[in-house]
Amino acid sequence: LCLLNMISHQELVSCVGWTTAEELYSCSDDHQIVKWNLLTSETSQIVKLPDDIYPIDLHWFPKSLGIKKQTQAESFVLTSSDGKFHLISKLGRVEKSVEAHCGAVLAGRWNYEGTALVTVGEDGQIKIWSKTGMLRSTLAQQGTPVYSVAWGPDSEKVLYTAGKQLIIKPLQPNAKILQWKAHDGIILKVDWNSVNDLILSAGEDCKYKVWDSYGRLLYSSQPHEHPITSVAWAPDGELFAVGSFHTLRLCDKTGWSYALEKPNTGSIFNIAWSIDGTQIAGACGNGHVVFAHVVEQRWEWKNFQITLTKRRTMQVRNVLNDAVDLLEFRDRVIKASLNYAHLVVSTSLQCYVFSTKNWNTPLIFDLKEGTVSLILQAERHFLLVDGGGIYVYSYEGRFISSPKFPGMRTDILNAQTVSLSNDTIAIKDKADEKIIFLFEASTGKPLGDGKLLSHKNEILEIALDQKGLTNDRKIAFIDKNRDLYITSVKRFGKEEQIIKLGTMVHTLAWCDTCNILCGLQDTRFTVWYYPNTVYVDRDILPKTLYERDASEFNKNPHIVSFVGNQVTIRRADGSLVHISISPYPAILHEYVSSSKWEDAVRLCRFVKEQTMWACLAAMAVANRDMTTAEIAYAAIGEIDKVQYINSIKDLPSKESKMAHILMFSGNIQEAEIILLQAGLIYQAIQININLYNWERALELAVKYKTHVDTVLAYRQKFLETFGKQETNKRYLQYGEGLQIDWEKIKAKIEMEITKERERSSSSLSSKNMGLKH
């Protein structure tokens, strides 16, 4: 933090609030409301309040989330010690004063849409008001003063303090209330972030704590020397600030501390973040307003380390040769991202794209909205999120697309809820958390037939794989039960399976160079070398994994990146741990993607590891290379599968081979469709008999008027084996008075096989004739 301490009030400053990134209003017990201009360092008095009004809390009316953008906030609510709240315009005109509470109104907060205001007071009441200041309801009443209040991300719930307790109360009557003891002293401040859905609390027990929205403790600080008087989330939910006596602290969302400053300020009673999340203002007990800028942020990729040294300056260091470059910007840096050999930096007005090969000539283009809240990169393009929408640009600065869906709220999107690959954008919706929207990156239109991806539970985190063909694109996601699932992005009209890969997964990441997935599971760090195995042969999935003990990462670690064969994990105390995984699976992926099967087998023989052979077996089946599959399955001792693959080789027609390969992977419906399209009706019936799908076997036989007696004969044999009587009505109906002649049936089956052989040999000879011609 880079600090600036400024005086403009004679008395304690009680509250501060930003209108733009360069303009701040502060209120003080000297009854003045002062406007600060940070560009010119000027201050001006906006209004002098009557002597009996002591301001306590200030909150600007939120910028409209609609299409017509307000450039800045136009009015604010001010709560005061006389039991009133006042709606005051930007110019200082008091539009309305409303009698709200007995005793002081301790806090007032607009909801995210600006459609409702909540106030809390010394009288222990929590009241909801309309935009114009009309009382809608008294949400709750209690015997102790309510010191702080915050809206839930969806504006459907309110969080407030009750002594040492925290209470979350939904606006709907009769809905369940969540209440828990949060501190050992009175709670003075709370904040609830809309992006990460986490809660901050600060108390007289000299601690600050981070909670999830279910009231589970995620972090508790050590006791400080003095009570914690203020806490505030940065808008994007990545950082938060903590204020106490002569103390300002900057923390990561997981709780650990980036910076501790000891300004001479008295207690900091209120902290406000600027809209772009780059600066903090604090209301101080000694009449000062303290300003702080967030600097020293770091980005790393391969051999490059980039540091934001000042508001408008970055330092690039190449660790291979210790070369240092300085990047100067016209405006202050708001967001940056370094990946795929490009650095993307957004300032308050422009976006800069640097190539790691050349730091001198960035590509620069103007931004539509200004305040970029998220940058995501893929190999071919990158994505920007701001208050107005989502935009995809190429690294040459060309605008590509802007996906949209009804009710989209860009202010709550983060790296866990948006994912980008070379061809696809995935966005998790906030309105219905069980749904993922999928878009084509090149057009911004919904993917395929426009069907959404829906899951049975709420989804927490999503990630698209980065390599391979568009048709094979996969998305992995974690749901609220902490189960990890994988599914195909392209749906092709059929209902694609969503398959579970693991349980108790807290964080995940795809490799940037090949489709290897890693995650932190309960007490293990797990790498899925070939997640696609679940679609090919689920039995061998455990053999394609790499696992190691993760207890060294302590509680709540987070995967920061997975570049090449290096995984970077941030522990709960903020330290970074780097793990290297075997480079061989990535080489295997490369060989298989370019169909170098012999090289792949040679590599596995060289490495002599079961995981490699298991991955190769699954890859070979997925790519229909049964010769390689046979070698690989033999190497991992799956003899039954080797025999089955051998039996596939002996099948007379190409359609039969294809169908049995599909059956090998469990795609029975597709196998049946292939056989029926090729006119191999008996073979389609036979696969259903082999799988004991008796209903379907009879259905096909009746539909195509063939082999009904064959189906009945096999059914009878099956029942006799188990000493059972026929109970199925359809089988009883068709089997009535039918005498089964096994000799006749065997002859029919022989005839079908001969017919298939002749067909395949005639199609082969006609192919050869064509080749000769």
Side-chain angles (χ1 to χ4, degrees):
L1 284 173
C2 165
L3 289 186
L4 183 66
N5 214 344
M6 296 166 94
I7 311 169
S8 190
H9 292 282
Q10 267 69 56
E11 298 277 340
L12 168 156
V13 182
S14 56
C15 47
V16 287
W18 298 86
T19 55
T20 67
E22 306 293 356
E23 185 180 78
L24 179 99
Y25 280 48
S26 63
C27 302
S28 161
D29 281 4
D30 62 9
H31 313 289
Q32 289 190 53
I33 299 177
V34 170
K35 178 168 88 172
W36 306 70
N37 185 325
L38 292 192
L39 290 175
T40 58
S41 301
E42 287 173 1
T43 59
S44 53
Q45 183 183 313
I46 292 294
V47 65
K48 176 94 166 65
L49 298 166
D51 285 351
D52 57 341
I53 295 181
Y54 290 89
I56 296 174
D57 192 21
L58 168 156
H59 193 213
W60 283 92
F61 187 79
K63 291 186 182 183
S64 66
L65 294 165
I67 304 301
K68 292 191 179 73
K69 284 289 182 210
Q70 283 173 244
T71 49
Q72 57 198 47
E74 294 301 329
S75 65
F76 60 92
V77 61
L78 185 76
T79 70
S80 59
S81 57
D82 60 353
K84 292 179 182 169
F85 69 81
H86 315 272
L87 300 177
I88 302 175
S89 80
K90 194 166 186 283
L91 301 172
R93 195 171 71 249
V94 179
E95 307 281 356
K96 193 171 190 178
S97 293
V98 180
E99 286 278 354
H101 294 265
C102 296
V105 185
L106 296 176
R109 284 277 167 261
W110 293 107
N111 69 359
Y112 291 100
E113 293 76 30
T115 52
L117 170 74
V118 61
T119 61
V120 295
E122 282 183 329
D123 56 3
Q125 295 196 336
I126 294 98
K127 293 183 176 180
I128 308 285
W129 307 80
S130 75
K131 186 176 168 178
T132 52
M134 307 294 287
L135 181 64
R136 281 198 190 149
S137 65
T138 300
L139 190 66
Q141 238 166 326
Q142 61 186 38
T144 53
V146 182
Y147 288 104
S148 188
V149 67
W151 286 94
D154 51 7
S155 299
E156 297 287 322
K157 301 186 190 87
V158 169
L159 162 75
Y160 59 91
T161 68
K164 302 172 186 180
Q165 309 263 330
L166 283 179
I167 299 171
I168 295 177
K169 181 154 190 198
L171 298 188
Q172 269 121 0
N174 309 326
K176 193 168 160 244
I177 297 170
L178 189 63
Q179 180 170 354
W180 71 96
K181 183 180 183 234
H183 287 262
D184 295 324
I186 286 172
I187 300 167
L188 300 174
K189 266 287 193 298
V190 293
D191 197 10
W192 192 346
N193 185 263
S194 64
V195 179
N196 62 28
D197 200 19
L198 299 179
I199 291 166
L200 284 174
S201 63
E204 285 191 344
D205 59 358
C206 306
K207 290 180 183 175
Y208 60 89
K209 299 185 181 184
V210 184
W211 312 84
D212 70 8
S213 55
Y214 300 103
R216 287 185 294 229
L217 180 67
L218 302 179
Y219 179 84
S220 173
S221 74
Q222 295 298 316
H224 288 56
E225 291 168 33
H226 302 281
I228 308 290
T229 45
S230 54
V231 283
W233 280 111
D236 64 1
E238 291 299 315
L239 304 169
F240 65 87
V242 178
S244 180
F245 182 75
H246 286 344
T247 304
L248 181 62
R249 196 182 268 279
L250 180 70
C251 303
D252 184 77
K253 64 179 173 191
T254 52
W256 56 274
S257 189
Y258 275 108
L260 172 65
E261 301 290 342
K262 289 282 188 181
N264 184 20
T265 53
S267 286
I268 298 176
F269 289 111
N270 186 302
I271 293 173
W273 283 83
S274 64
I275 298 151
D276 58 15
T278 60
Q279 17 189 9
I280 305 164
C284 310
N286 62 358
H288 294 203
V289 172
V290 64
F291 291 97
H293 304 290
V294 180
V295 289
E296 292 296 323
Q297 282 167 286
R298 278 197 181 82
W299 296 267
E300 286 178 4
W301 181 79
K302 292 195 175 170
N303 51 309
F304 292 101
Q305 187 183 51
I306 295 180
T307 311
L308 181 70
T309 49
K310 295 181 192 152
R311 299 171 67 193
R312 300 189 180 95
T313 311
M314 279 180 161
Q315 185 194 66
V316 181
R317 186 162 164 258
N318 184 343
V319 296
L320 293 181
N321 56 11
D322 257 348
V324 173
D325 288 279
L326 279 183
L327 312 179
E328 299 280 349
F329 301 94
R330 198 182 70 188
D331 310 291
R332 71 178 180 285
V333 173
I334 293 175
K335 281 269 175 230
S337 174
L338 174 65
N339 213 335
Y340 296 103
H342 286 89
L343 168 70
V344 181
V345 180
S346 76
T347 66
S348 44
L349 298 170
Q350 292 172 313
C351 181
Y352 294 72
V353 183
F354 295 87
S355 163
T356 54
K357 296 184 181 105
N358 179 6
W359 296 107
N360 301 323
T361 50
L363 199 135
I364 307 170
F365 59 88
D366 290 340
L367 290 168
K368 295 181 180 171
E369 171 72 13
T371 311
V372 171
S373 58
L374 179 68
I375 303 174
L376 288 182
Q377 288 177 259
E379 192 181 7
R380 291 185 201 151
H381 43 235
F382 63 94
L383 173 146
L384 300 178
V385 178
D386 67 21
I390 298 168
Y391 311 99
V392 181
Y393 290 91
S394 72
Y395 287 115
E396 290 76 52
R398 185 171 52 83
F399 172 73
I400 297 172
S401 68
S402 176
K404 288 182 177 65
F405 59 86
M408 177 168 84
R409 268 184 67 186
T410 54
D411 58 323
I412 53 175
L413 297 176
N414 63 7
Q416 280 73 49
T417 55
V418 186
S419 187
L420 175 71
S421 72
N422 282 338
D423 40 58
T424 313
I425 303 164
I427 303 169
K428 178 184 79 94
D429 187 22
K430 189 76 186 170
D432 182 353
E433 303 219 30
K434 298 176 182 177
I435 281 176
I436 299 172
F437 287 92
L438 298 165
F439 301 94
E440 283 179 13
S442 54
T443 60
K445 293 191 174 119
L447 200 68
D449 50 10
K451 260 167 88 177
L452 307 174
L453 199 160
S454 68
H455 183 54
K456 57 181 188 289
N457 292 322
E458 284 90 352
I459 296 164
L460 298 180
E461 186 173 344
I462 62 174
L464 288 161
D465 65 10
Q466 295 298 315
K467 285 291 185 182
L469 305 167
T470 311
N471 288 344
D472 299 332
R473 182 72 55 237
K474 298 281 186 289
I475 185 167
F477 61 86
I478 301 171
D479 70 7
K480 72 164 190 188
N481 297 335
R482 292 282 167 201
D483 291 333
L484 170 65
Y485 290 87
I486 189 168
T487 186
S488 245
V489 164
K490 283 268 174 139
R491 304 253 124 175
F492 301 119
K494 68 174 191 289
E495 203 46 58
E496 191 63 59
Q497 287 173 295
I498 297 178
I499 301 178
K500 191 193 279 194
L501 268 183
T503 55
M504 293 309 292
V505 180
H506 299 283
T507 169
L508 80 162
W510 286 100
C511 178
D512 66 338
T513 52
C514 59
N515 290 336
I516 295 177
L517 178 68
C518 72
L520 284 160
Q521 267 185 294
D522 214 9
T523 56
R524 302 185 309 285
F525 169 69
T526 308
V527 181
W528 289 266
Y529 283 136
Y530 187 56
N532 215 18
T533 308
V534 288
Y535 288 102
V536 180
D537 182 359
R538 212 180 296 189
D539 304 344
I540 64 165
L541 181 68
K543 292 182 179 175
T544 64
L545 304 183
Y546 164 73
E547 291 185 316
R548 63 175 273 180
D549 182 49
S551 53
E552 62 180 291
F553 308 131
N554 305 346
K555 252 177 78 179
N556 297 332
H558 176 73
I559 297 172
V560 179
S561 67
F562 186 178
V563 178
N565 63 333
Q566 185 109 356
V567 181
T568 306
I569 294 169
R570 195 180 284 284
R571 302 196 326 191
D573 62 2
S575 58
L576 290 172
V577 182
H578 301 282
I579 300 175
S580 286
I581 61 164
S582 166
Y584 297 121
I587 300 168
L588 187 65
H589 272 274
E590 210 173 296
Y591 282 152
V592 170
S593 63
S594 46
S595 299
K596 295 178 178 171
W597 295 105
E598 285 175 14
D599 290 347
V601 171
R602 214 171 290 131
L603 177 70
C604 290
R605 283 186 177 139
F606 168 72
V607 178
K608 296 189 184 71
E609 266 184 22
Q610 194 182 31
T611 44
M612 291 285 286
W613 282 115
C615 288
L616 181 60
M619 289 168 175
V621 175
N623 289 283
R624 319 270 185 258
D625 188 304
M626 299 323 273
T627 314
T628 309
E630 191 181 348
I631 299 166
Y633 275 114
I636 55 171
E638 300 271 343
I639 306 305
D640 52 337
K641 287 171 185 169
V642 175
Q643 286 174 337
Y644 186 66
I645 290 166
N646 265 324
S647 72
I648 293 174
K649 285 182 178 173
D650 297 336
L651 290 169
S653 70
K654 126 168 155 269
E655 290 85 4
S656 272
K657 283 177 182 165
M658 190 66 186
H660 280 269
I661 292 169
L662 285 166
M663 278 174 66
F664 186 93
S665 305
N667 300 330
I668 293 141
Q669 265 180 312
E670 285 177 50
E672 187 189 282
I673 290 164
I674 280 179
L675 292 170
L676 292 174
Q677 281 173 348
L680 302 171
I681 311 300
Y682 163 70
Q683 283 78 354
I685 294 168
Q686 188 62 51
I687 64 170
N688 281 298
I689 291 171
N690 293 346
L691 294 164
Y692 306 119
N693 289 345
W694 297 110
E695 290 274 349
R696 182 67 181 150
L698 185 60
E699 193 184 314
L700 287 173
V702 171
K703 185 179 174 184
Y704 291 99
K705 301 186 178 62
T706 178
H707 286 285
V708 178
D709 54 343
T710 312
V711 177
L712 292 167
Y714 275 106
R715 172 77 171 178
Q716 191 182 13
K717 191 177 175 184
F718 169 73
L719 291 170
E720 280 168 8
T721 312
F722 293 100
K724 300 272 184 194
Q725 286 295 314
E726 183 60 83
T727 53
N728 189 308
K729 283 180 184 168
R730 291 201 70 188
Y731 273 93
L732 287 167
Q733 178 194 335
Y734 285 101
E736 211 176 322
L738 187 77
Q739 284 298 315
I740 284 159
D741 182 352
W742 272 106
E743 291 299 321
K744 202 171 157 192
I745 287 166
K746 279 176 184 166
K748 270 172 84 175
I749 293 170
E750 278 296 323
M751 215 166 81
E752 289 286 358
I753 292 165
T754 314
K755 239 164 54 184
E756 188 184 353
R757 273 207 183 93
E758 283 166 3
R759 257 191 56 182
S760 99
S761 61
S762 68
S763 72
L764 258 175
S765 60
S766 63
K767 227 182 201 175
N768 291 340
M769 288 286 285
L771 282 170
K772 277 176 190 168
H773 282 304

